[in-house]
Amino acid sequence: VKPAPERHPARVRASPTVVGMVRRALRAAVAELCVVDGSSVGGFSHGDAVIFTVPRTGRHITVEENGFVQAYWNHTGEWQHIVLELDGGVELAHGAGVFLRAWTGSYVSPRGSRLFASSATAGQQERFTLLADGAVGPASRIRLETWNGKAVVVDDPADQGAVSVVGSTDVATQELVINIAQPLITTTAAPTTTTLAPT
């Protein structure tokens, strides 16, 4: 008796979109665990959506519809999601050049003493340098420096919630906690059908 031929299960290929969604969801879960126990695991890569939190107030960097950048609110929705685009390199580390793309699709850059997300392209003035005291992973404390060497201040006691660009040397007013953003849950309305009565 001849044995039956072995059948191989069908191979399923996931689309790049699905793979990206799963990857972001897993990284967000790891980031949430890191926030709970205070550890720092893994790094950040080009294209990751992150949330920046002011450690003392618990408020988050927010980009409003008009592009104004502030830290007055404690929401963690779409307006707080910022996509990291690395200027060379594949992982975020101390001294890395980074562009910050807001939910609006515009890039963050200094305008006077404030930050705005109003640039359609990532150029020299949209480039920030990330500063950190150690490895950069979920729940790490970081600072941002503008293209012209000025500090991004996020915790000014005189104006809590303001995000400004100054020549400050007070590191405590510049610290942000960086974490992977939780995937946004979007709902799609179910398709509707209309049945016409026979005439």
Side-chain angles (χ1 to χ4, degrees):
V1 174
K2 191 174 182 182
E6 188 177 331
R7 294 182 180 236
H8 296 283
R11 290 188 176 161
V12 178
R13 294 185 73 164
S15 72
T17 304
V18 171
V19 171
M21 288 172 52
V22 169
R23 178 177 166 260
R24 283 189 291 278
L26 288 172
R27 292 186 79 168
V30 169
E32 186 143 318
L33 289 172
C34 292
V35 171
V36 171
D37 69 9
S39 64
S40 178
V41 179
F44 296 94
S45 301
H46 180 84
D48 282 343
V50 300
I51 298 277
F52 290 110
T53 307
V54 179
R56 191 179 61 80
T57 65
R59 297 172 183 164
H60 307 292
I61 298 296
T62 300
V63 178
E64 296 185 27
E65 286 179 298
N66 62 2
F68 181 66
V69 179
Q70 48 94 344
Y72 294 113
W73 304 337
N74 61 0
H75 309 111
T76 55
E78 183 180 27
W79 288 16
Q80 289 75 33
H81 283 213
I82 296 175
V83 175
L84 296 175
E85 294 187 3
L86 302 184
D87 185 16
V90 293
E91 282 215 351
L92 200 60
H94 173 76
V98 64
F99 301 101
L100 307 176
R101 184 166 43 87
W103 65 276
T104 58
S106 297
Y107 292 89
V108 175
S109 62
R111 189 192 302 167
S113 64
R114 299 289 187 182
L115 292 181
F116 282 85
S118 56
S119 303
T121 58
Q124 179 186 359
Q125 294 187 11
E126 289 71 40
R127 186 182 188 277
F128 292 86
T129 301
L130 181 130
L131 305 172
D133 294 328
V136 180
S140 290
R141 290 189 180 218
I142 58 103
R143 301 179 310 282
L144 295 170
E145 188 176 85
T146 62
W147 67 277
N148 57 357
K150 292 191 174 178
V152 175
V153 172
V154 295
D155 193 12
D156 183 351
D159 190 359
Q160 289 185 10
V163 176
S164 55
V165 178
V166 295
S168 172
T169 56
D170 185 358
V171 172
T173 65
Q174 303 168 32
E175 284 192 327
L176 287 166
V177 174
I178 184 172
N179 274 302
I180 292 285
Q182 296 290 336
L184 293 171
I185 298 171
T186 56
T187 56
T188 305
T192 58
T193 57
T194 305
T195 305
L196 300 175
T199 54

